[in-house]
Amino acid sequence: MDFALNEQQLAFQDSARDFASSRLAPFAAEWDLEETFPLATIREAGDMGFLGLYTPESHGGLGLSRLDSAIVFEELATGCTSTAAYLTIHNMVSWMIASFGSATLAGEWVPRMVSGEVLGSYCLTEPGAGSDAASLKTRAEKKGEVYVLNGSKMFISGAGSTDVLVVMARTGGPGPKGVSAFVVPANAPGVQYGKKEKKMGWNSQPTRAITFDNVEIPAGNLLGEEGMGFAYAMKGLDGGRINIATCAVGTAQAALNAAQRYVQERQQFGQPLADFQTVQFRLADMLTELVAARQMVRLAAFKLDSGSSDASAYCAMAKRFATDLSFNVANNALQLFGGYGYLKDFPLERHVRDARVHQILEGTNEVMRMIIARQLLKD
Ligand code: FAD
Ligand code: 2MC
């Protein structure tokens, strides 16, 4: 067992760190304030390979392992949590189309997704089906050579600015076995977008509801087989949860870095804050828990890479642990900045707002506990 990163991993980490510090961090506050989806920068990320990190090489991706991808995503998140998180969703969508779509369907979309020419959204959640995703109601009726989609999705990241949607819809009876997954061009007639949601964080990416009103798509846009869509959606989310956990770790690292510098500069009671032992202990706990979270994320990624039967539970553990930790670290870092932490002149309040949603999306942390407990009680 070797805990050191190899040369290739260090090289990926360096290039992601450079991109984060030069192309993301300087603009993150402005994108947050102006609610800008930075399309030009996202396309630059494509030039770096960051839009198809674990997409197979046969489809133009880098074909990296989940572990290597996690190293990259973590660095990107230190620059801009929200933009890095969108990149992870795009990667998940591109991987799903490459993995479960026919050669023709994958050939049509995936290389363009990897280059950044087209961007993707993942559409599972509905107004009435959030945690209980298998109760979704959007229907896809097969009529000859087409499927006709009707229904609505809620909280779709990137929606309105993306080009391709992976949509989970019901082709059969109730429950998970009745769900199929489809590739839907985002501008297909009958696809309608709701208003851009006003959010607490994740402001550099739009979030919208989508309605499907008699949307016709070719039968060949079905991913894999009918009735397998829920399993494909969950497989996508296993990796997605590692990705969100890495964004959480990256955000925590950025917050800790800022706090570490600040407490050495800021003087009160005639000495730097860093000289107070309570401050030191707080920093020590932040770092200890951050390292634990990072190692758990990498272990989960390793389990997914090696096809371990308990990989899903480890992905859930990593997501639950890293996102809770990240929120606490960001909040503690804000506290160390005192009143300045509450001002938008400093990045701490943004880190807290961005970190918060990771405890909710890609499965709430209560759902993560459900997945972990099911595995535990099955063993
Ligand atoms: P609910 O399921 O209604 O849950 C409400 C509360 O009840 C939660 O605390 C939950 O944990 C708890 N709860 C529910 N069931 C149980 C239970 N059995 N035991 C204990 N507690 C329970 N979805 C997509 O498909 N694609 C996206 O791109 C996407 N992006 C998002 C972006 C943002 C900014 C947000 C906020 C959400 C996004 N989502 C997306 C949706 C997200 O995945 C859901 O919000 C999440 O899964 C929870 O669903 P819900 O909001 O309906 O909450
Ligand atoms: N990999 C492969 N198959 C899986 C799987 C996984 N990780 N998880 C479940 N399945 C299969 C499972 O094996 C079963 O099939 P079978 O009966 O053949 O064995 C089928 O799917 C149904 O699974 P469950 O019986 O576990 O389904 P249930 O409805 O009880 O619960 C639950 C599933 C709660 C885990 C799931 O609904 C869930 O993850 N809910 C949270 C929803 C969510 O994460 N939404 C995120 C939206 S995306 C987002 O937020 C973004 C920001 C992009």
Side-chain angles (χ1 to χ4, degrees):
M1 194 184 295
D2 186 356
F3 285 97
L5 301 188
N6 64 33
E7 267 183 38
Q8 195 198 22
Q9 290 168 329
L10 288 170
F12 279 123
Q13 189 178 44
D14 271 353
S15 67
R17 187 173 292 153
D18 282 352
F19 190 82
S21 62
S22 62
R23 307 302 304 137
L24 300 177
F27 311 103
E30 183 192 324
W31 294 338
D32 172 61
L33 199 65
E34 309 283 336
E35 298 186 8
T36 306
F37 190 43
L39 285 168
T41 309
I42 290 171
R43 297 210 161 95
E44 281 180 51
D47 297 339
M48 302 288 295
F50 300 152
L51 295 182
L53 284 173
Y54 58 92
T55 308
E57 284 176 291
S58 52
H59 291 91
L62 292 186
L64 296 187
S65 66
R66 304 312 174 99
L67 180 53
D68 292 354
S69 306
I71 292 162
V72 172
F73 287 137
E74 182 189 328
E75 291 302 329
L76 296 179
T78 62
C80 178
T81 305
S82 163
T83 306
Y86 171 72
L87 296 182
T88 74
I89 296 172
H90 177 83
N91 270 267
M92 171 168 72
V93 172
S94 129
W95 176 83
M96 286 178 73
I97 301 176
S99 303
F100 307 120
S102 67
T104 313
L105 189 64
E108 183 185 348
W109 290 103
V110 180
R112 292 190 295 149
M113 293 186 76
V114 169
S115 71
E117 185 189 335
V118 300
L119 298 178
S121 289
Y122 175 95
C123 309
L124 178 65
T125 307
E126 299 187 353
S131 297
D132 185 10
S135 68
L136 64 84
K137 288 197 162 59
T138 295
R139 275 214 79 87
E141 299 283 353
K142 188 146 190 223
K143 294 196 174 152
E145 287 308 301
V146 297
Y147 283 96
V148 182
L149 268 67
N150 279 290
S152 55
K153 295 288 171 182
M154 186 68 196
F155 290 123
I156 304 307
S157 300
S161 300
T162 52
D163 310 281
V164 58
L165 314 172
V166 164
V167 179
M168 274 47 79
R170 193 163 297 287
T171 47
K177 296 275 191 292
V179 176
S180 301
F182 297 91
V183 169
V184 179
N187 61 358
V191 179
Q192 292 155 10
Y193 295 94
K195 66 171 182 10
K196 187 161 102 171
E197 304 291 357
K198 300 297 282 179
K199 307 194 296 286
M200 173 179 175
W202 265 39
N203 284 324
S204 78
Q205 47 170 314
T207 308
R208 288 189 170 87
I210 305 182
T211 306
F212 301 98
D213 183 11
N214 284 316
V215 176
E216 282 191 16
I217 51 162
N221 283 25
L222 172 73
L223 287 182
E225 294 168 35
E226 267 199 21
M228 289 298 292
F230 191 75
Y232 301 153
M234 292 296 118
K235 282 181 196 239
L237 281 177
D238 279 343
R241 287 165 184 161
I242 292 176
N243 298 342
I244 289 299
T246 63
C247 289
V249 172
T251 308
Q253 185 69 65
L256 178 58
N257 291 348
Q260 179 192 357
R261 285 192 296 272
Y262 186 78
V263 297
Q264 292 178 83
E265 289 161 9
R266 174 74 173 169
Q267 303 239 351
Q268 286 295 282
F269 300 97
Q271 62 191 74
L273 295 178
D275 286 358
F276 295 107
Q277 200 178 45
T278 52
V279 170
Q280 293 172 9
F281 280 18
R282 192 193 283 258
L283 286 170
D285 284 348
M286 288 159 75
L287 179 60
T288 305
E289 285 159 23
L290 195 157
V291 170
R294 177 179 292 125
Q295 292 311 117
M296 185 179 281
V297 172
R298 291 185 182 171
L299 174 60
F302 165 78
K303 291 253 184 196
L304 199 56
D305 284 328
S306 46
S308 182
S309 61
D310 54 4
S312 300
Y314 274 79
C315 294
M317 279 188 248
K319 196 270 185 188
R320 204 290 289 162
F321 187 75
T323 59
D324 282 349
L325 160 283
S326 168
F327 181 74
N328 292 341
V329 166
N331 201 26
N332 271 308
L334 187 154
Q335 188 71 16
L336 287 170
F337 269 69
Y340 299 95
Y342 202 66
L343 302 184
K344 285 187 187 276
D345 300 334
F346 296 89
L348 284 307
E349 58 82 36
R350 174 164 47 84
H351 292 325
V352 170
R353 289 186 286 107
D354 283 342
R356 182 63 180 87
V357 80
H358 300 154
Q359 296 170 301
I360 298 170
L361 45 67
E362 298 217 7
T364 66
N365 283 0
E366 290 73 32
V367 167
M368 296 307 102
R369 290 180 175 91
M370 196 190 291
I371 293 169
I372 298 159
R374 281 183 186 180
Q375 176 73 36
L376 180 73
L377 298 172
K378 187 175 91 181
D379 285 347

